[in-house]
């Protein structure tokens, strides 16, 4: 179909429909759909962020000042759901949509109509989810993990479950599309082992998505039938088992956290070589490490359940398996550092975010290793130590990688350079505030503050106040991000070159900036030296 | 020196024993020992706890933290050196290599060795935790939305009859924590400690130097019973009975909280364990068993003071 399109748009090089509705709502173009995903994700980032501001405002000092405890729980639950399913995941799908075809020399995604559908499901899913906030009885408030029996007390459970079904369908379709594109649409000469690491990371992530989204759908459907159709999957009084839910949920949930970080690994593996002007260290080891992490992610789920009272053998197995993940994760970090070693580095905003990612994600990995030690986890579990851990890997990990990617590819998308000065202001403001926000949470957890509580003993007051100040500051910093993007899209006068970055390699930099509406209508001729990694033997 | 009562069990390396003793001594000197393990403003690390087993998580936490700091310093140090030495502005020219098999082998092997050591230490701690045999006392803990119930099942081989009570947030905290109460959380105090949200109407009283088996369950949704000074938390799950044990070495009042989200008042169902000498405990226990015999008299006074206190005693007695 892509080849037919070549002829339709012969005269009109850019070929984008002029009608707004046709262009955006009926789009089958990977770039436009990518843009839609990215805008959606940015909007969700601010919605989820505003919930976080409510949380941090209530926790600013001891005593209840602003909201009722139930509403506080609604905020923690919705914050997590919106950030995970609305901000992080769609951002990676958007980046994949935009960049995968450009990186492998394909004219578009393999299944363009399905691509449109996977995006347009999302606004409806989120309308459904967010509408619960305005319902009598309120939104789900049992945590994003939705453990029964508590979640069964939620009046709006059905809405949340259907919203999750829709998001799951969207993710699965997106994943199928990505796999089909990568396996079938590579330009001749783009062998699997010459693909950019970002493409590899998405290929593996897509398999994870297909494997676990149905599991989540199953788990929440069982909640639904337990609540409305009299089944007793998780109801002990009816012969069921509440812990069963946790096993099913985390069988989804742990691979899910890797779904949110593997594409980030890919992004960092693109950016670091570009700004170090040196090829990635250990390409094959990088790809293999991603695959190993993906495999291990299926056999560690019960590390979220060390305190439910598992048998000794199970605790030991899941502890060892979890600890094993730090080996491939460590290899990745060592390889990034080695890529820098002996390079010729410059520090533009994407590189700054990438470097911050490497350090701060690793700190999250360290606390992950500590959490894996079961006796210590008996203390850490469900405290602010865990909150600190997953925000280091998700905010300074996944979200920083998304920001790095935005700065890295924005000139290619828009044809304009963003403001380097304001990009750096955004970086420094974010990187300092995010540590003020999350680092003290380690101390709070170690001192004994449980997570998901709206109020606390006065001994926890000082670090909570520091954390809240960091939170407001980090939130405000993201307005700079918004400003930089708006400026780059509509106001920047500085034209981007095709290559954009001196050290950039790969097919995406061979097309003009901004990337025309259709690219690679004829497969490009691939010259190995133009690729970031053109030598299979390495 | 109150910390004299703390004896790490024999399996720890000697250096740790000394470190733990020193830490405990300092903490004991500062906080008079009794309140050894309750949260302190500005507290940065986990505490050692007060039981025979509670040094395990503390020890692992410190070792793992140390390992992470060392690796972090090496890796981030290398990175900062690279960022300094290999910058374009200093005229660095990029090299071409992208491999070093020797290095790759080294940085795969060393972490594996470190992990094996950590796994070995953690497994030891886990195995001793799992062994609930040989306990001299059993307490049943039941989680409710949003309070705890404690039932004394047996002590020193003898079944205990009808000693059990509800334990919920103290009134002063409860008044203060209402939205817009205007009351100052700093003003909530008990025995000189700031106990906002960490005090209850009726604490769990237990003897020291006794291996206590806790059997833990819940009545409605999942809760989690956690007193940091005891070194562990374990979920209280409806339809399931979990077991854990603690042998408290130092008398004192130890505070904790529910650690599994259980609905709107999840933040308001604290746990207080009061560990007393065996003699005091025997006296306390005898007193608890008394009202059963003198039910009519106890009824009148009990009703006035602690409402949720004694449903088990008078009604069944
Ligand atoms: C070295 C790698 C990692 C290890 C060993 C690790 C280990 C753990 C463990 C043991 C827990 C459970 C803690 C508890 O609840 O007591 C946990 C929680 C969590 N981890 Fe990690 N982790 C790692 C990396 C990651 C990454 C890369 C992400 C996501 C990008 C992540 C996201 C999370 C989240 C979201 C939770 C909390 C889930 C919840 O209870 O709501 N972790 N991690
Ligand atoms: Cu996990
Ligand atoms: Cu609770």
């Amino acid at each position: 179909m892509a080849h037919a399109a070549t002829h339709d748009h012969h005269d009109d090089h850019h070929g984008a429909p002029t009608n707004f509705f046709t262009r955006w709502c009926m789009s089958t173009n990977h770039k436009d759909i990518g843009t839609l995903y990215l805008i959606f994700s940015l909007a969700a980032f601010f919605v989820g962020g505003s919930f976080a501001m409510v949380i941090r405002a209530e926790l600013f000092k001891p005593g209840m000042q602003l909201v009722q405890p139930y509403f506080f729980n609604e905020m923690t639950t919705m914050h997590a759901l919106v950030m995970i399913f609305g901000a992080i995941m769609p951002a990676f799908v958007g980046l994949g949509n935009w960049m995968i075809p450009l990186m492998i020399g394909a004219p578009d995604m393999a299944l363009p109509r399905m691509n449109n559908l996977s995006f347009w499901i999302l606004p409806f899913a989120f309308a459904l989810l967010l509408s619960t906030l305005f319902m009598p009885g309120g939104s789900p408030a049992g945590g994003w993990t939705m453990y029964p029996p508590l979640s069964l007390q939620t009046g709006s459970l059905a809405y949340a479950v259907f919203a999750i079904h829709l998001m799951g369908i969207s993710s699965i379709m997106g994943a199928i599309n990505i796999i089909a594109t990568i396996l079938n649409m590579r330009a001749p000469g783009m062998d699997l082992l010459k693909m950019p690491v970002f493409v590899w990371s998405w290929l593996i992530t897509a398999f994870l998505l297909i494997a676990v989204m149905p599991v989540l759908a199953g788990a929440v459907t069982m909640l639904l039938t337990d609540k409305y159709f009299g089944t007793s999957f998780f109801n002990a009084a009816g012969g069921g088992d509440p812990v069963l839910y946790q096993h099913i949920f985390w069988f989804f949930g742990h691979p899910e956290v890797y779904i949110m970080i593997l594409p980030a690994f890919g992004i960092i593996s693109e950016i670091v070589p570009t700004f170090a002007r040196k090829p990635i260290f250990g390409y094959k080891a990088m790809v293999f490490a991603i695959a190993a992490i993906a495999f291990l992610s299926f056999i560690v789920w019960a590390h979220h359940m060390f305190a439910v009272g598992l048998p000794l053998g199970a605790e030991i197995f899941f502890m060892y398996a979890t600890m094993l993940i730090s080996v491939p994760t460590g290899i990745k970090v060592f390889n990034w550092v080695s890529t820098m070693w002996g390079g010729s580095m410059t520090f533009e905003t994407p590189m700054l975010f990438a470097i911050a990612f490497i350090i701060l994600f690793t700190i999250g990995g360290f606390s992950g290793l500590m959490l894996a030690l079961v006796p210590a986890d008996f203390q850490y579990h469900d405290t602010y130590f865990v909150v600190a851990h997953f925000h280091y890997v998700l905010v300074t990990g996944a979200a920083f990688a998304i920001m790095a990617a935005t700065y890295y590819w924005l000139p290619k998308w828009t044809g304009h350079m963003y403001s380097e000065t304001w990009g750096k202001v955004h970086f420094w403001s974010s990187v300092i505030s995010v540590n003020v926000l999350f680092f003290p949470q380690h101390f709070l957890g170690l001192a004994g503050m449980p997570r998901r509580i709206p109020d606390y003993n006065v001994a926890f007051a000082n670090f909570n106040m520091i954390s809240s100040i960091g939170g407001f500051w980090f939130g405000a910093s993201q307005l700079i991000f918004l400003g930089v993007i708006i400026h780059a899209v509509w106001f920047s006068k500085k034209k981007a070159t095709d290559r954009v970055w001196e050290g950039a390699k790969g097919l995406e930099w061979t097309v003009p900036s901004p990337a025309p509406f259709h690219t690679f209508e004829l497969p490009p001729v691939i010259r190995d030296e133009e690729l970031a990694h053109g030598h299979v033997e390495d | 020196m109150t910390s004299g009562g703390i004896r790490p069990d024999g399996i720890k390396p000697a250096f740790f024993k000394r470190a733990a003793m020193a830490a405990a001594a300092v903490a004991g000197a500062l906080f008079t020992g009794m309140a050894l393990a309750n949260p302190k403003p500005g507290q940065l690390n986990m505490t050692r706890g007060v039981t025979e087993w509670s040094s395990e998580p503390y020890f692992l936490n410190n070792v793992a933290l140390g390992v992470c700091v060392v690796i972090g310093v090496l890796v981030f140090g290398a990175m900062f050196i690279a960022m300094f030495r290999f910058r374009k502005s200093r005229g660095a020219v990029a090299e071409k290599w992208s491999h070093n098999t020797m290095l790759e082998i080294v940085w795969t092997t060393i972490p594996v060795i470190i992990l094996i050591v950590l796994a070995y230490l953690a497994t030891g701690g886990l195995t001793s935790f799992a062994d609930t045999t040989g306990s001299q006392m059993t307490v049943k803990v039941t989680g409710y939305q949003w309070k705890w119930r404690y039932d004394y099942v047996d002590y020193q081989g003898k079944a205990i009859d009808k000693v059990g009570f509800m334990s919920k947030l103290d009134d002063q905290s409860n008044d203060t924590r209402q939205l817009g109460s205007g009351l100052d959380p700093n003003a909530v105090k008990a025995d000189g400690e700031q106990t906002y949200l960490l005090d209850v109407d009726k604490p769990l009283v237990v003897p020291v130097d006794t291996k206590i088996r806790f059997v833990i369950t819940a009545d409605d949704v999942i809760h989690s019973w956690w007193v940091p000074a005891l070194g562990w938390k374990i979920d209280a799950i409806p339809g399931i009975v979990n077991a854990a044990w603690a042998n408290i070495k130092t008398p004192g009042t130890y505070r904790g909280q529910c650690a599994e989200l259980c609905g709107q008042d999840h933040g308001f169902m604290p746990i207080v364990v009061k560990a007393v000498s065996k003699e005091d405990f025997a006296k306390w226990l005898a007193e608890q068993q008394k009202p059963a015999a003198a039910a009519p008299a106890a009824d009148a006074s009990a009703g006035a003071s602690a409402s949720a206190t004694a449903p088990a005693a008078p009604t069944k007695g």
Side-chain angles (χ1 to χ4, degrees):
Chain A
M1 80 255 97
H3 295 283
T6 313
H7 298 287
D8 292 347
H9 297 289
H10 194 263
D11 303 307
D12 179 2
H13 183 69
H14 289 279
T18 43
N19 177 302
F20 184 86
F21 181 81
T22 321
R23 167 146 190 203
W24 295 105
C25 298
M26 294 165 65
S27 178
T28 54
N29 180 288
H30 74 101
K31 302 185 185 80
D32 280 359
I33 294 174
T35 304
L36 288 171
Y37 266 111
L38 290 170
I39 294 172
F40 180 88
S41 141
L42 192 64
F45 183 54
F46 282 102
V47 173
S50 66
F51 297 163
M53 294 300 106
V54 175
I55 296 171
R56 280 323 317 171
E58 180 54 61
L59 292 174
F60 187 73
K61 58 180 189 168
M64 300 294 295
Q65 289 88 21
L66 298 171
V67 297
Q68 292 290 359
Y70 189 83
F71 186 74
F72 182 91
N73 293 347
E74 292 180 41
M75 287 291 102
T76 52
T77 305
M78 298 297 269
H79 164 71
L81 289 172
V82 170
M83 285 304 196
I84 292 170
F85 294 103
I88 303 283
M89 291 172 68
F92 284 132
V93 181
L95 292 169
N97 247 299
W98 244 107
M99 301 318 298
I100 290 173
L102 285 182
M103 289 175 135
I104 61 173
D108 204 308
M109 297 293 280
L111 308 160
R113 289 200 182 83
M114 194 164 89
N115 204 10
N116 175 295
L117 184 58
S118 11
F119 172 76
W120 278 107
I121 286 178
L122 280 184
F124 294 95
F126 275 83
L128 204 57
L129 182 66
L130 293 172
S131 70
T132 59
L133 278 169
F134 305 99
M135 289 178 186
S139 76
W144 79 282
T145 48
M146 293 180 296
Y147 284 1
L150 180 62
S151 61
L152 301 176
Q153 296 179 349
T154 311
S156 53
L157 179 74
Y159 290 82
V161 168
F162 288 135
I164 288 171
H165 281 156
L166 289 177
M167 295 168 202
I169 293 169
S170 161
S171 296
I172 291 170
M173 290 197 303
I176 291 173
N177 212 343
I178 284 173
I179 294 175
T181 306
I182 297 175
L183 293 186
N184 297 308
M185 311 261 299
R186 295 190 317 276
M190 175 57 75
D191 306 342
L192 281 178
L193 280 175
K194 289 184 188 173
M195 294 195 311
V197 183
F198 178 65
V199 179
W200 261 113
S201 71
W202 242 124
L203 180 63
I204 293 166
T205 303
F207 279 105
L208 284 185
L209 273 170
I210 291 181
V212 301
M213 292 312 288
V215 177
L216 173 66
V220 295
T221 306
M222 287 151 96
L223 287 181
L224 196 70
T225 62
D226 266 14
K227 184 163 167 73
Y228 294 105
F229 301 104
T231 58
S232 291
F233 291 112
F234 310 130
N235 173 5
D241 180 359
V243 177
L244 173 66
Y245 174 86
Q246 299 185 21
H247 282 291
I248 305 174
F249 180 87
W250 288 114
F251 188 81
F252 146 81
H254 190 81
E256 167 67 17
V257 307
Y258 281 98
I259 287 166
M260 293 189 282
I261 205 68
L262 296 185
F265 290 168
I267 289 165
I268 302 305
S269 303
E270 299 304 318
I271 292 177
V272 170
T274 296
F275 294 95
R277 293 167 181 76
K278 182 163 160 283
I280 185 101
F281 182 94
Y283 172 88
K284 270 193 191 153
M286 287 307 235
V287 172
F288 183 77
I290 295 177
I293 292 171
F295 168 76
L296 288 173
S297 75
F298 284 108
I299 55 164
V300 299
W301 75 88
H303 66 211
H304 297 273
M305 302 165 58
F306 286 147
V308 297
L310 298 173
L312 177 62
E315 306 251 52
I316 290 178
F317 171 81
F318 285 107
M319 171 166 73
Y320 293 173
T322 303
M323 294 174 76
L324 219 51
I325 291 199
S326 13
V327 176
T329 312
I331 289 177
K332 299 201 73 77
V333 173
F334 300 143
N335 285 9
W336 287 320
V337 175
S338 309
T339 305
M340 294 182 199
W341 196 271
S344 169
M345 274 188 275
T346 51
F347 300 91
E348 289 87 344
T349 312
M351 183 63 163
L352 291 177
F353 272 103
I355 289 168
F357 171 99
I358 297 172
I359 296 176
L360 301 173
F361 169 80
T362 304
I363 290 178
F366 284 150
S367 55
L369 176 62
M370 295 170 75
L371 288 165
L373 305 170
V374 183
D377 186 65
F378 286 155
Q379 291 279 36
Y380 305 137
H381 177 64
D382 264 330
T383 69
Y384 261 83
F385 191 82
V386 177
V387 177
H389 159 68
F390 64 71
H391 283 98
Y392 267 85
V393 286
L394 284 174
V395 179
T396 59
F400 268 29
I402 291 165
M403 290 173 191
T406 306
Y407 285 107
Y408 187 53
W409 285 314
L410 200 55
K412 178 57 65 190
W413 300 336
T414 63
H416 307 290
M417 297 307 285
Y418 60 86
S419 160
E420 194 62 55
T421 312
W422 283 101
K424 285 190 171 134
V425 171
H426 171 227
F427 169 77
W428 285 109
S429 185
S430 297
V431 80
I432 297 170
S433 59
V434 84
N435 284 291
V436 176
L437 166 56
F438 293 121
F439 208 82
Q441 296 184 356
H442 291 113
F443 305 139
L444 288 171
L446 291 170
M449 180 170 162
R451 66 193 277 205
R452 294 169 166 166
I453 57 173
D455 198 4
Y456 47 81
N457 180 264
V458 294
F460 305 126
N462 41 13
F463 285 132
N464 269 294
M465 190 175 287
I466 294 171
S467 178
S468 285
I469 291 169
F472 303 141
W473 178 8
F474 183 75
S477 308
Q478 302 324 306
L479 298 175
I480 307 176
F481 185 40
L482 187 63
V484 174
I485 293 173
I486 290 173
H487 170 263
V489 174
W490 284 296
F491 302 103
S492 172
K493 296 265 170 341
K494 204 168 158 219
K495 291 266 172 279
T497 61
D498 292 356
R499 184 148 307 269
V500 182
W501 312 108
E502 188 188 44
K505 285 194 165 178
L507 292 180
E508 78 262 40
W509 308 109
T510 62
V511 303
S513 300
F517 196 63
H518 293 293
T519 38
F520 300 131
E521 287 155 302
L522 293 174
V525 178
I526 302 214
R527 280 183 297 274
D528 285 353
E529 60 281 5
E530 264 177 16
L531 302 182
H533 177 77
H535 305 283
V536 191
E537 321 79 59
D538 291 354
Chain B
M1 179 52 59
T2 47
S3 58
I6 298 171
R7 284 198 188 78
D9 45 342
I11 58 175
K12 290 284 112 28
F15 77 89
F16 163 66
K17 248 192 225 175
R18 258 183 286 117
M21 295 296 269
V26 171
L30 284 175
F31 307 113
T32 69
M34 293 302 280
L36 203 57
N38 294 317
K40 295 285 164 307
Q43 180 179 331
L44 298 179
N45 198 5
M46 202 186 273
T47 52
R48 189 211 164 275
V50 293
T51 73
E52 185 186 317
W53 186 82
S54 65
S55 58
E56 297 282 351
Y58 179 64
F59 169 68
L60 272 173
N61 169 71
N62 291 357
V63 170
L65 180 63
V67 167
C68 292
V69 168
V70 170
I71 299 177
V73 166
L74 292 176
V75 175
F76 304 150
M79 201 166 134
F80 278 106
I81 294 172
M83 288 194 296
F84 181 75
R85 272 180 55 187
F86 305 109
R87 29 192 334 139
K88 197 174 174 225
S89 57
R90 289 181 85 235
V93 178
E95 292 160 26
K96 292 268 177 288
W97 50 269
S98 60
H99 281 283
N100 189 327
T101 312
M102 193 57 215
L103 260 183
E104 296 186 67
I105 291 172
V106 167
W107 70 43
T108 311
T109 319
I110 291 179
V112 169
I113 294 170
I114 294 173
L115 289 180
I116 290 172
V117 174
L118 285 177
Y120 172 78
L121 294 173
T123 307
L126 193 53
T127 316
S128 51
F129 175 79
D131 181 13
T132 56
T133 56
S135 64
Q136 296 131 300
M137 177 176 177
T138 306
V139 177
K140 181 178 173 219
V141 179
T142 313
Y144 293 84
Q145 282 176 317
W146 291 276
K147 51 189 174 285
W148 295 97
R149 180 180 174 81
Y150 302 113
D151 290 289
Y152 292 73
V153 180
D154 60 50
Y155 180 53
Q156 293 183 331
K158 285 197 290 290
I160 302 174
D161 210 20
K162 295 171 192 118
V163 176
F165 49 84
M166 291 287 183
S167 177
K168 62 173 179 37
L169 186 67
D170 68 301
D171 289 340
Q172 206 191 349
S173 292
N174 197 37
D175 292 342
T176 309
R177 66 104 176 170
Q178 301 302 323
L179 182 62
S181 71
L183 298 171
D184 180 8
N186 288 295
V188 181
K189 285 192 179 141
D191 304 328
E193 267 193 288
Q194 298 208 290
T195 54
Y196 179 57
L197 300 181
L198 288 181
D199 205 5
V200 293
D201 55 354
K202 205 160 187 290
L204 174 69
V205 179
V206 294
V208 296
D209 296 322
T210 305
K211 182 166 180 178
I212 308 164
R213 195 167 74 103
F214 291 91
V215 290
I216 299 178
T217 185
D219 190 59
D220 34 42
V221 302
I222 303 175
H223 306 263
S224 189
W225 200 79
W226 182 36
V227 177
L230 304 194
W232 47 263
K233 65 176 66 69
I234 198 156
D235 289 356
I237 305 171
I240 290 176
V241 180
N242 275 328
W245 66 277
N247 190 343
I248 301 174
K249 293 294 171 190
T250 323
T253 304
Y254 305 113
R255 301 173 193 280
Q257 281 173 277
C258 176
E260 178 67 51
L261 179 59
C262 57
Q264 66 172 13
D265 287 351
H266 162 58
F268 309 109
M269 48 182 293
I271 297 154
V272 179
V273 175
K274 214 173 138 188
V276 297
S277 69
K278 284 185 181 168
E279 302 80 68
D280 288 350
F281 180 72
K283 266 187 247 154
W284 179 86
L285 192 62
E287 226 160 81
Q288 296 300 305
Q289 284 165 323
K290 230 185 280 162
D299 237 4
S301 59
S305 55
S307 49
T309 302
T315 50
K316 286 186 204 155

